Amino acid sequence: MKTRICIGIWLLLQFGIYGCLHDHTSVGDKELSEITITAEHDTLVAYFGEEFILDHLNVEQSGEELPLSYEWGYGNLKMNGNEIAEYPIRDSLRVISHDPQLRYTFRELGTFGLSLKVENGESIRFKYFVLHIDTEFSEGITVLSRDEAGKGRLSFMKTLTKEEIDAGVEPFFRTDIMETINPGIEMEDVTDMVQVNERLLVSSGNTARIYNMDVRTFDVNGMTSFRGTYPTCSLRGFAGISAQNNMYIYSDDKSAYVYDYVVDELILTRYFEDVEADAFCMGEKPVFIDYEKSVLYSPRSGGFNESGERFIAFDVHAVCFVGSKLYMVNTMKTMPTQVYLALTNATFSSLSTVKFYPSLEAIKIDRESICVGCSALSCIFYTYDNAVYCWNVTKELPTEPIVTLPDGMEITALSMSADENLLYVGLYEENSAYALKGSLYIYDAKDYNLVKTYPNIADKPLRVIYKKRV
């Protein structure tokens, strides 16, 4: 009896299921309305403290147009290599809106994941974005300049987003950064500028002061003068990172100091107390040059490296890094037309000759030349006699410049873009009728063509850097 009942139930179930599967009016056989989300951009930029609006989404349904519900959230972004992880912000998601169009004011800086969940009762779809929450100063070209009294000026041109470029926005320099961000603070006798991780540092000569800023906002967080501790100190330029938070700085008293930019402390290391240097070369490691002795120094743990007698027979004209390789331009002291182009490293443990040749005329590079190494092109750009030259480091020194400037314009700064595709030339026109006499010319690093000019955007340029996003 039990067996008959079970068979009967089984037959009823089979016929019932079969009927449901072939009933075209039933929900089980209905084609689901799938959701598709597309966007013009998957990487977004929002500005801290400003309302962000995302309105370029397209949400479609494959079947019946059903009511849609939205959920926007953001959180810490998880990546797999260069790709967004499958569940990139699941553990830290903060829901911020349920509206189709996102309008939200973010109040923290950094890179996050932004998610959108859309559902219609039949299907659910997620869309993820990389979200950079920046200030308008987070990335772009930054120029440090000084007027005739030594007062410093920061000029900044932000890098436009793809959306801004597509909208036809034109980039421009803001020349009022200090007045706007740090009212009441004047930078005195400025000499140099460097970005190191999340800090932007500006040095001062006669006050031995370092202006320590948040690189994302230009906010001055510290401006300590170290003249009281080191009476002879007059900061001339940033020579390079030594270790961790330590930045070497060259001073006009021919000494090398170390600045900890986290704790805002300057020290003269014991092992550099008896070393005098006339100049420095910034690169993989800081290198200091004593021109009179033709000796180079670089710091190491608990002491320093020195080149010893390797170059004592030569006059050192220029020293410049190309990547980790340190190139030197020298001439013989007893025969100035004999040129010695050498290759070494930051510890001077290796030495090779690039070229050793007689020159028919005096070389066009000296200790006043501003040198910039370019790894991508294996060359060094440098200034001489108000022109720019390019030395292919496998060949002899060039005799003709790649860039010449009109009379009345003085080259005062030289640097490159972060990708080494562009050459930045800072210019000063003393007799200009404009209040700001400093300009920036940008050249293509490969063919030397002039790409763009930005006239009268600074005082006398001292340093031009591409300030990177952190």
Side-chain angles (χ1 to χ4, degrees), residues 186-396:
E186 289 190 359
M187 296 188 295
E188 304 173 79
D189 191 29
V190 294
T191 54
D192 200 8
M193 173 179 64
V194 69
Q195 177 184 355
V196 51
N197 298 325
E198 74 282 0
R199 311 310 302 168
L200 185 71
L201 309 177
V202 174
S203 59
S204 169
N206 58 25
T207 65
R209 191 184 303 277
I210 297 178
Y211 299 90
N212 192 324
M213 307 181 197
D214 187 322
V215 75
R216 302 166 299 182
T217 63
F218 289 111
D219 283 304
V220 173
N221 300 137
M223 45 185 292
T224 302
S225 172
F226 299 98
R227 176 55 58 85
T229 307
Y230 304 103
T232 63
C233 179
S234 179
L235 304 178
R236 184 55 41 195
F238 297 101
I241 288 290
S242 172
Q244 298 178 344
N245 306 321
N246 294 332
M247 168 66 71
Y248 269 92
I249 306 179
Y250 175 71
S251 169
D252 284 339
D253 61 6
K254 295 192 173 183
S255 296
Y257 294 82
V258 178
Y259 175 66
D260 187 320
Y261 60 86
V262 173
V263 300
D264 191 31
E265 180 181 7
L266 187 74
I267 61 171
L268 176 60
T269 55
R270 173 185 51 78
Y271 45 85
F272 259 101
E273 287 181 356
D274 298 325
V275 172
E276 288 191 356
D278 301 301
F280 67 93
C281 173
M282 189 173 189
E284 182 188 52
K285 279 189 174 183
V287 170
F288 300 92
I289 308 118
D290 185 329
Y291 286 130
E292 183 178 350
K293 295 179 181 179
S294 297
V295 176
L296 278 59
Y297 305 93
S298 67
R300 61 178 172 83
S301 179
F304 60 88
N305 308 294
E306 64 172 294
S307 60
E309 298 184 354
R310 290 178 176 85
F311 307 107
I312 60 173
F314 301 92
D315 284 321
V316 180
H317 292 266
V319 180
C320 185
F321 277 100
V322 178
S324 61
K325 299 177 180 179
L326 185 63
Y327 288 88
M328 297 182 62
V329 177
N330 313 281
T331 56
M332 291 188 67
K333 291 180 178 178
T334 58
M335 193 182 302
T337 57
Q338 191 69 31
V339 181
Y340 174 40
L341 306 179
L343 169 62
T344 182
N345 55 24
T347 63
F348 324 119
S349 58
S350 66
L351 179 63
S352 59
T353 299
V354 177
K355 293 288 180 181
F356 190 70
Y357 66 97
S359 178
L360 299 177
E361 57 183 303
I363 60 174
K364 296 180 178 179
I365 188 171
D366 59 25
R367 297 169 183 177
E368 301 301 319
S369 296
I370 309 170
C371 300
V372 180
C374 177
S375 297
L377 302 174
S378 296
C379 70
I380 294 174
F381 295 99
Y382 62 92
T383 62
Y384 180 78
D385 196 22
N386 212 36
V388 180
Y389 291 75
C390 180
W391 171 34
N392 180 325
V393 294
T394 65
K395 300 180 179 180
E396 297 180 359

Side-chain angles (χ1 to χ4, degrees), residues 20 26 38 63 67 69 88 95 122-123 130 134-135 171 186 190 222 231 285 304 322 393 403 430:
C20 289
S26 68
T38 56
S69 64
V95 176
E122 294 185 359
S123 62
V130 176
D134 290 333
T135 70
E186 289 190 359
V190 294
K285 279 189 174 183
F304 60 88
V322 178
V393 294
V403 172
E430 184 177 7

Side-chain angles (χ1 to χ4, degrees), residues 171-184:
F172 68 95
F173 270 95
R174 287 192 57 173
T175 62
D176 61 347
I177 298 299
M178 285 301 295
E179 296 90 338
T180 302
I181 308 301
N182 303 291

